[in-house]
Amino acid sequence: MLEYTGLAITLAIILIPVLFIRTLNRVMKIIIVAYYGIVTTVFIYGHESIYEKYHTTPVPKEFWDKNTTWTNDLSLFYFVPLIPLILYIFYKWFFLVEKILTKFLVILAFIAVVHLYLFLLFMFNFAYGYRP
């Protein structure tokens, strides 16, 4: 399970802010955590079953094809729902603050979060779905 350390870090980066943000109510937080728990369980189960079925020495081409397809498909379930969530959180945050400087800082934070989002998307696909 050490190979899923990157996945655990990605989930922490996604879920810790969600759990502590005030603009989401408790029910939404529970739904988001449950959703990511289910997606993670499905991802690990599928990833392990592909590994068990195809990973022999030498590693066949089918392993890389199945693994890459599985990871690409599941990355959509991890990262596409984040788009409306991030937009909603920053929309609420932007209109919650009143000072121009604070609004500017919210925009800078949004830009940083978008860059982090793209980095996590790339690293997830690279780490779990890399095909040589």
Side-chain angles (χ1 to χ4, degrees), residues 85-114:
L85 182 63
I86 290 169
L87 290 174
Y88 172 77
I89 289 169
F90 276 96
Y91 174 82
K92 292 289 252 180
W93 194 14
F94 184 80
F95 288 107
L96 185 69
V97 297
E98 295 179 9
K99 295 181 181 178
I100 298 296
L101 176 63
T102 313
K103 288 184 185 284
F104 176 73
L105 293 174
V106 169
I107 292 170
L108 285 179
F110 177 74
I111 292 169
V113 167
V114 168

Side-chain angles (χ1 to χ4, degrees), residues 4-50:
Y4 296 111
T5 304
L7 180 60
I9 292 169
T10 300
L11 286 173
I13 290 171
I14 293 170
L15 293 178
I16 288 173
V18 166
L19 292 175
F20 290 105
I21 196 122
R22 293 181 185 165
T23 57
L24 295 174
N25 63 27
R26 189 174 187 181
V27 174
M28 274 308 277
K29 291 177 184 182
I30 292 170
I31 290 170
I32 291 167
V33 170
Y35 172 80
Y36 279 103
I38 291 167
V39 170
T40 300
T41 303
V42 169
F43 174 74
I44 291 173
Y45 177 76
H47 193 264
E48 289 295 320
S49 59
I50 291 169

Side-chain angles (χ1 to χ4, degrees), residues 50 53-54 61-71:
I50 291 169
K53 186 175 181 181
Y54 292 102
K61 181 182 181 301
E62 292 82 22
F63 170 76
W64 297 112
D65 292 340
K66 295 275 187 193
N67 189 51
T68 301
T69 302
W70 179 253
T71 302

